[in-house]
Amino acid sequence: MLYVIGLGLSDEKDITVKGLEKCERVYLEAYTSILMVEKEKLEEFYGRPVITATRETVELESDDILKDADKVDVAFLVVGDPLG
């Protein structure tokens, strides 16, 4: 399952944590908004690596993000509200 999870607007603690807890891979959408915290702080707080998803990754390599999402949970983190 692919989960689109909002990070809020400030720091690593603004995230909706429940969806993140069960995800095997975590991607950070990193080109449409400015995150006010370093990726390393996210990784430290979440206890797992965070893969930076550049515009190229999202638009041209989306199959990598979706790979095995029918078998494992994958998080796609976005700054702010995921539906905004």
Side-chain angles (χ1 to χ4, degrees):
M1 178 71 65
L2 175 68
Y3 293 91
V4 180
I5 301 172
L7 289 175
L9 297 174
S10 182
D11 61 28
E12 70 277 10
K13 295 180 183 178
D14 283 347
I15 191 170
T16 304
V17 178
K18 197 167 192 172
L20 176 68
E21 289 176 333
K22 59 189 198 170
C23 291
E24 186 172 298
R25 290 191 326 270
V26 179
Y27 290 88
L28 171 63
E29 187 279 315
Y31 72 92
T32 60
S33 296
I34 298 171
L35 185 60
M36 303 304 287
V37 65
E38 299 83 23
K39 183 180 95 157
E40 293 75 24
K41 277 195 148 190
L42 297 178
E43 292 174 326
E44 181 182 332
F45 186 74
Y46 305 155
R48 67 194 65 192
V50 174
I51 304 161
T52 301
T54 64
R55 182 176 188 158
E56 181 179 89
T57 304
V58 175
E59 293 181 359
L60 302 175
E61 302 167 8
S62 58
D63 288 344
D64 292 341
I65 295 171
L66 297 174
K67 183 179 179 186
D68 296 326
D70 59 333
K71 300 176 188 93
V72 299
D73 292 324
V74 178
F76 188 76
L77 308 178
V78 295
V79 176
D81 181 342
L83 299 177

